[in-house]
Amino acid sequence: MPVENSTIAPPQQESASGKAPLKVGFVSLGCPKNLVDSEVMMGMLQTGGAQITAKAEDADIIVVNTCSFIDTARQESVDTILEMAQHKISGRAQKLVVAGCLVERYRTEIQKNIPEVDAVVGTGELDQILAAAGIEPLQPAAQSDSPFVILNSSSASQSLKSGVSARAEGLAREQSGRFSRSEWEGAIADLPNYLYDETTPRVLATPKASAYIKIAEGCDHPCGFCIIPQLRGKFRSRHFESVIAEAERLAAQGVREVTLIGQDTTCYGEDLGLKDGLALLLERLAQIEDLRWVRFLYAYPNKITGKLLETIASNEKICSYIDVPLQHASATVLKRMKRGAGAEIFLKSIEKMRRTIPDLTLRTSFIVGFPGETEQDFDELCDFVRAAQFDWLGVFSYSDEEGSAAYHLADKVPPREIERRRKKLMQIQRQISKKNKRKLVGRQFNVLVLGPSEETEMLWEGRTEMHAPEIDGKLFINDFGDHEELVPGTFYRCEITETHDYDQVARIV
Ligand code: SF4
């Protein structure tokens, strides 16, 4: 679907030539990191004089920002491209642009096999979106009075530009072939190196008062199942002051909840020579007066330092929330995954997290069915999940990706068995979640109200500190208390009145 958010579309404006502006429909697939790329490209297009539309049938140009993480994501990307191509064949659209991870993987094949595609833009080429769309930039850049558009800041100094250095690990892994795309026919050899900064125009597509900030891009880790390093390049951090400048501007525009993202946020700043870079960044962000909640996603297990935990514990504005994808708990499987550690080390580390941050919400995700995963390994994972009592947990089925180290491993687990294990682990977690969520009944929390629920008009939705955007269970509001109406993007106090397996119901107090 095109990005559905009419509030971010600017008022109709005429182009420099006096003609009506070209309308661009944007479809963003995949993860929040890809969403930020979409927001950046929408910002560039809008600054170039185009108008963003939420309706594909009204668009002169359609951009599909794709995901290529696993097979199902690739299929969804291809289906969406073909669906959008119909608007060019029999509708108003004149141009179809494909962007994102699928381009990094299948650049020439997309152009060869889908003739309706006019141009492709890889993850490292976001600044080429205007040329790809055939739009000549306005001079000077078009202004917009949309409150949710970040425009170029003329006062931004050159010293605030993104970091472009690399970690020693990244350089070493590059030499050992970690980022090689030689197995991928159609992928270009150059790795993406693009990273936006605080001067880059950006149109927010997230609900009012919330925004993601990408603090780093790429990944240097060697995880055997993952092709993200080949798709996104070596790890690189944005400059510290660039992130702060962007957060300040977002706060001045009404954003109150900021979620920091990157393939691995806990490596933040290592390439810039910063020690405990993420902790320092969080500390500084917490000083921005108008921000109310700051959180980060995608921590790497052995990068969660004591300083980071203490920083979370001692700052009210930093959400007591850690998302740490552990991927497995069996030491044998983790070793084959090229990640290391195991259940015992993880349990100790979780105990330390909960000791330091008593009201911690802990999220993780696992992959089941990695090549060579035995029934015993899987049982170990189940026991670990029972012992760790995570607040939120995601389970992914192993996907055999060409170009990943695991692709060449023997002992592949049959798909039906993978599915059985996925279902069983989710069932274990459902019971844990159900039991633990019940303990929340009667407790009060601050809630960021998002608006009417997409599921039913009878309910509204919101988020507490325990809920990261998009990925966690939902908080439904069925009682406005003394308020005649609620204002989306505003904080209220609520009491949990009912809980389900994953979702909760609350009343405003
Ligand atoms: S840390 Fe995450 S993004 Fe990096 S290689 Fe491992 S799974 Fe992939």
Side-chain angles (χ1 to χ4, degrees):
M1 282 177 58
V3 170
E4 296 266 349
N5 194 337
S6 56
T7 58
I8 61 169
Q12 183 93 11
Q13 54 193 346
E14 284 216 328
S15 70
S17 62
K19 288 188 211 150
L22 286 168
K23 289 186 177 178
V24 182
F26 219 101
V27 190
S28 192
L29 302 169
C31 64
K33 289 153 279 191
N34 218 34
L35 180 67
V36 172
D37 287 353
S38 295
E39 292 176 338
V40 163
M41 285 188 277
M42 286 195 286
M44 289 172 177
L45 288 162
Q46 186 171 270
T47 306
Q51 187 185 357
I52 307 297
T53 174
K55 292 185 182 147
E57 58 273 23
D58 288 350
D60 303 299
I61 301 160
I62 297 177
V63 183
V64 183
N65 193 17
T66 58
C67 175
S68 187
F69 181 43
I70 52 173
D71 48 3
T72 46
R74 271 196 301 278
Q75 192 54 52
E76 188 189 10
S77 293
V78 171
D79 291 347
T80 308
I81 296 168
L82 296 176
E83 188 189 331
M84 291 300 132
Q86 286 307 315
H87 291 281
K88 207 180 143 192
I89 296 165
S90 56
R92 168 179 170 145
Q94 297 147 30
K95 259 187 195 299
L96 177 60
V97 179
V98 175
C101 289
L102 200 72
V103 174
E104 295 297 341
R105 175 73 181 80
Y106 297 104
R107 182 177 292 261
T108 47
E109 272 133 287
I110 294 169
Q111 290 170 302
K112 207 163 55 187
N113 298 327
I114 315 179
E116 289 81 14
V117 174
D118 296 281
V120 292
V121 177
T123 60
E125 304 160 326
L126 303 191
D127 47 358
Q128 301 298 311
I129 187 65
L130 279 178
I135 295 175
E136 291 208 7
L138 291 179
Q139 292 297 336
Q143 296 292 308
S144 163
D145 54 5
S146 165
F148 288 93
V149 178
I150 306 164
L151 291 167
N152 269 319
S153 156
S154 54
S155 62
S157 87
Q158 284 303 311
S159 66
L160 297 184
K161 294 289 179 202
S162 316
V164 286
S165 45
R167 295 164 72 236
E169 288 89 333
L171 295 172
R173 296 235 158 88
E174 184 171 32
Q175 275 166 15
S176 65
R178 171 60 171 127
F179 303 100
S180 167
R181 303 162 163 205
S182 54
E183 283 182 34
W184 292 350
E185 204 186 313
I188 58 168
D190 290 351
L191 279 178
N193 200 23
Y194 179 83
L195 190 50
Y196 82 104
D197 66 22
E198 82 293 351
T199 67
T200 314
R202 192 178 153 198
V203 172
L204 296 193
T206 37
K208 201 167 184 270
S210 288
Y212 292 107
I213 295 183
K214 200 194 276 193
I215 61 171
E217 181 56 280
C219 180
D220 295 339
H221 292 299
C223 310
F225 50 81
C226 186
I227 56 167
I228 285 176
Q230 288 104 304
L231 294 173
R232 297 243 164 204
K234 289 199 290 288
F235 178 86
R236 53 209 187 269
S237 304
R238 281 179 61 190
H239 195 287
F240 193 92
E241 293 302 332
S242 172
V243 178
I244 302 300
E246 184 183 16
E248 282 171 346
R249 189 164 310 117
L250 288 168
Q253 290 169 345
V255 168
R256 299 288 171 261
E257 178 197 35
V258 154
T259 304
L260 307 183
I261 52 172
Q263 313 304 333
D264 171 3
T265 48
T266 42
C267 268
Y268 174 75
E270 286 187 12
D271 51 329
L272 306 175
L274 289 176
K275 190 174 176 314
D276 274 311
L278 179 61
L280 297 175
L281 190 65
L282 289 167
E283 226 162 36
R284 179 70 184 76
L285 288 168
Q287 289 166 18
I288 298 176
E289 206 181 322
D290 287 333
L291 287 185
R292 184 100 181 244
W293 283 344
V294 182
R295 77 174 86 224
F296 61 96
L297 300 178
Y298 317 118
Y300 195 78
N302 68 3
K303 295 274 176 186
I304 299 174
T305 62
K307 163 85 177 161
L308 180 60
L309 297 179
E310 280 151 26
T311 304
I312 299 169
S314 58
N315 277 282
E316 214 178 295
K317 286 188 186 175
I318 304 174
C319 296
S320 298
Y321 183 104
I322 294 180
D323 164 50
V324 54
L326 295 175
Q327 312 298 11
H328 214 280
S330 149
T332 324
V333 175
L334 284 163
K335 195 170 172 205
R336 281 168 75 89
M337 284 179 165
K338 299 192 184 179
R339 286 180 64 92
E344 208 178 311
I345 294 173
F346 289 158
L347 284 173
K348 271 193 196 141
S349 149
I350 289 168
E351 192 272 323
K352 185 178 171 189
M353 290 183 214
R354 288 188 169 134
R355 189 168 12 98
T356 318
I357 311 167
D359 55 346
L360 180 69
T361 298
L362 193 56
R363 176 180 183 87
T364 193
S365 54
F366 296 111
I367 295 173
V368 292
F370 188 79
E373 181 194 67
T374 61
E375 195 62 37
Q376 197 185 336
D377 293 320
F378 178 66
D379 287 345
E380 202 180 325
L381 175 58
C382 295
D383 288 345
F384 171 71
V385 166
R386 289 185 194 100
Q389 300 276 305
F390 293 100
D391 299 286
W392 306 113
L393 185 152
V395 185
F396 295 97
S397 300
Y398 170 76
S399 171
D400 210 21
E401 295 302 318
E402 198 184 355
S404 70
Y407 189 70
H408 303 286
L409 291 179
D411 303 328
K412 297 274 157 59
V413 181
R416 282 179 68 155
E417 178 58 17
I418 294 180
E419 184 55 14
R420 185 192 70 79
R421 291 179 189 180
R422 191 189 66 78
K423 280 190 180 150
K424 180 168 175 192
L425 197 55
M426 282 313 297
Q427 181 57 25
I428 292 170
Q429 178 61 19
R430 183 172 295 118
Q431 296 308 324
I432 293 170
S433 177
K434 191 175 180 173
K435 181 183 78 189
N436 290 341
K437 296 282 177 291
R438 262 192 225 130
K439 295 179 195 157
L440 298 173
V441 173
R443 285 186 60 190
Q444 292 194 0
F445 296 91
N446 293 326
V447 58
L448 173 62
V449 168
L450 300 173
S453 168
E454 284 172 6
E455 288 173 30
T456 158
E457 281 176 14
M458 315 284 286
L459 302 169
W460 276 45
E461 281 181 26
R463 262 203 298 276
T464 71
E465 248 189 87
M466 301 179 289
H467 303 84
E470 302 295 325
I471 44 176
D472 295 328
K474 293 195 168 182
L475 181 86
F476 294 107
I477 301 162
N478 65 353
D479 182 345
F480 288 8
D482 293 340
H483 302 270
E484 206 146 287
E485 52 187 37
L486 301 180
V487 182
T490 306
F491 285 85
Y492 295 84
R493 195 81 184 145
C494 76
E495 182 187 308
I496 308 282
T497 53
E498 211 181 296
T499 59
H500 299 270
D501 291 355
Y502 299 110
D503 300 336
Q504 297 101 56
V505 181
R507 68 179 183 91
I508 301 296
V509 294

